[in-house]
């Protein structure tokens, strides 16, 4: 396995009252720790390693930081209280920034990390200079909602949370599987769901290593679930990563009403297999195509229009005075910073330069 750290990137251990976190840094060219840094928050089943190409591509005067969330990468493994939504993660990030002496930052959140950034907008607005949402989870969470307004389908989050994870995928993470022998191996999932064209990238082994840092179990990934009489027979639990994004626990749509609105850049791929208006990681979508039997139909369990929901919230944000730029990239999957690196890097540099 190659060294997972790229030349020019260094790792730090940062201890806060909440956790000991691993932080990657691409220092500013002059070694300065002053100025406004760019802070990257990774998504689910990944780590800060994924952000290294973007960190290195930023202008030389930028201090770039990437934080491993609890239970991912080389950060401390601590239980995740999903009843707080993603606040265990967002409060951790805030504590790390305080420990580093970072008073304000340009925040970049990828996938679940986008949800963490939106929660920071609500709970820690003083930390934020600008926001970049890369293929973010819907402001209404993952699964179990419908319509542009994100209304919940039921009170228990049927079909969402920890029970929605493929158990073989979880077992292969736990076993450290680096093969491509199965559709559920992390390497295959990376190739088929994270990026549109894996042949473009020469760092696949590092990305798979990053995925395999995910800590498994009911308190981490994927979390617990509870039985329900509603299809598909399970509902959101109260522990672990996937339950943080269940609609019973997560809703950041209130960002539209913030009094102070940092400029937002929203970047997403039009071929995203994970966050879309027809995601094949949405249990209701899998039921609709017949992959899970017994689907009760669109009236009861429609697929979640994830991108439509994000757009609706950001349109309200803009209408209330916030600056929003949307960049929808063609030939691009769930990782625009890998699939369309040049376009993503240029958009991010322009966005933070315009602050």
């Amino acid at each position: 396995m190659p060294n997972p750290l790229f030349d020019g990137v260094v790792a730090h251990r940062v201890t806060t009252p909440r956790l000991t976190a691993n932080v990657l840094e691409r220092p500013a060219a002059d070694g300065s720790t002053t100025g406004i840094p760019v802070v990257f928050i990774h998504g689910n089943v990944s780590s800060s390693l994924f952000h290294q190409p973007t960190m290195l591509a930023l202008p030389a005067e930028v201090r770039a930081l990437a934080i491993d969330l609890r239970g991912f990468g080389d950060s401390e493994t601590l239980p995740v209280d999903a009843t707080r939504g993603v606040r265990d993660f967002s409060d951790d990030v805030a504590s790390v920034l305080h420990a580093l002496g970072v008073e304000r930052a340009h925040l970049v959140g990828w996938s679940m990390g986008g949800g963490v950034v939106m929660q920071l907008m609500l709970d820690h607005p003083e930390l934020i200079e600008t926001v970049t949402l890369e293929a973010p989870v819907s402001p209404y969470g993952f699964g179990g909602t419908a319509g542009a307004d994100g209304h919940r389908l039921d009170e228990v989050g049927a079909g969402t949370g920890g029970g929605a994870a493929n158990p073989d995928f979880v077992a292969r993470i736990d076993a450290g599987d680096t093969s491509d022998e199965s559709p559920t191996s992390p390497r295959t999932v990376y190739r088929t769901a994270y990026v549109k064209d894996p042949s473009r990238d020469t760092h696949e082994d590092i990305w798979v290593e990053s995925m395999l840092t995910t800590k498994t179990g009911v308190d981490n990934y994927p979390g617990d679930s509870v039985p329900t009489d509603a299809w598909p027979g399970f509902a959101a639990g109260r522990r672990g990563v996937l339950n943080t994004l269940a609609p019973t626990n997560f809703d950041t749509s209130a960002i539209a009403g913030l009094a102070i609105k940092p400029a937002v850049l929203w970047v997403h791929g039009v071929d995203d297999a994970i966050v879309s208006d027809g995601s094949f990681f949405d249990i209701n979508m899998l039921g609709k195509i017949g992959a899970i039997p017994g689907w009760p139909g669109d009236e009861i369990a429609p697929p979640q229009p994830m991108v439509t929901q994000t757009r609706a919230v950001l349109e309200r944000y803009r209408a209330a005075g916030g600056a929003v730029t949307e960049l929808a990239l063609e030939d691009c999957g769930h990782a625009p910073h890998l699939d369309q690196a040049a376009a993503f890097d240029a958009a991010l540099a322009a966005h933070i330069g315009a602050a």
Side-chain angles (χ1 to χ4, degrees):
M1 183 69 66
N3 184 347
L5 289 185
F6 289 18
D7 289 342
V9 175
V10 295
H12 306 288
R13 303 291 286 171
V14 177
T15 298
T16 84
R18 293 184 56 83
L19 84 167
T20 296
N22 183 64
V23 180
L24 301 188
E25 179 172 1
R26 196 295 307 267
D30 62 0
S32 172
T33 59
T34 60
I36 299 174
V38 179
V39 176
F40 294 85
I41 311 298
H42 65 81
N44 194 13
V45 192
S46 66
S47 75
S48 59
L49 293 175
F50 267 94
H51 292 297
Q52 293 179 98
T54 313
M55 296 167 72
L56 291 169
L58 284 169
E61 65 270 19
V62 170
R63 182 189 186 194
L65 301 165
I67 301 171
D68 283 334
L69 301 175
R70 63 170 64 191
F72 296 93
D74 288 328
S75 282
E76 187 176 1
T77 300
L78 294 171
V80 176
D81 179 1
T83 65
R84 304 186 70 233
V86 295
R87 283 185 174 91
D88 274 358
F89 296 135
S90 58
D91 288 349
D92 288 349
V93 169
S95 74
V96 170
L97 295 181
H98 288 311
L100 289 170
V102 174
E103 296 182 354
R104 289 178 70 81
H106 301 279
L107 293 179
V108 183
W110 175 36
S111 193
M112 182 180 76
V116 174
V117 168
M118 287 187 276
Q119 195 66 59
L120 284 162
M121 293 171 71
L122 293 171
D123 296 345
H124 301 278
E126 73 284 354
L127 290 173
I128 300 172
E129 186 70 13
T130 68
V131 165
T132 298
L133 301 175
E134 180 190 3
V137 64
S138 162
Y140 300 103
F142 200 94
T145 66
D149 63 350
H151 63 272
R152 284 169 53 180
L153 299 175
D154 56 54
E155 292 303 310
V156 298
T160 71
N166 185 300
D168 191 59
F169 177 60
V170 178
R172 288 175 181 274
I173 291 173
D174 196 45
D177 179 13
T178 62
S179 75
D180 59 1
E181 66 182 23
S182 167
T184 56
S185 73
R187 188 178 298 274
T188 302
V189 171
Y190 164 76
R191 291 175 179 174
T192 58
Y194 282 39
V195 291
K196 175 69 181 298
D197 183 0
S199 69
R200 297 170 178 158
D201 192 2
T202 60
H203 301 294
E204 181 178 284
D205 285 347
I206 294 176
W207 310 150
V208 173
E209 180 176 350
S210 173
M211 296 170 72
L212 291 174
T213 66
T214 302
K215 309 308 185 293
T216 60
V218 293
D219 282 319
N220 296 104
Y221 180 82
D224 65 349
S225 65
V226 297
T228 179
D229 291 336
W231 183 89
F234 67 85
R238 300 171 59 86
R239 301 159 63 189
V241 174
L242 290 189
N243 291 306
T244 67
L245 300 177
T248 51
N249 299 318
F250 179 89
D251 183 345
T252 57
S253 61
I255 62 170
L258 285 171
I260 299 175
K261 296 179 172 64
V264 174
L265 171 64
W266 173 31
V267 185
H268 58 103
V270 299
D271 302 311
D272 194 331
I274 297 177
V275 175
S276 72
D277 284 357
S279 169
F280 291 107
F281 287 73
D282 180 351
I283 293 294
N284 290 354
M285 185 65 186
L286 293 176
K288 184 168 186 172
I289 65 173
I292 299 176
W295 181 62
D298 277 321
E299 290 299 315
I300 295 174
Q304 179 188 8
M306 302 175 187
V307 173
T308 295
Q309 290 174 350
T310 298
R311 183 173 290 114
V313 169
L314 292 180
E315 284 176 350
R316 295 205 308 273
Y317 189 91
R318 181 187 289 114
V324 178
T325 301
E326 178 182 353
L327 180 60
L329 294 172
E330 300 286 342
D331 193 29
C332 183
H334 188 59
H337 70 284
L338 300 180
D339 267 330
Q340 296 292 345
F344 183 86
D345 295 345
L348 177 59
H351 181 59
I352 63 176

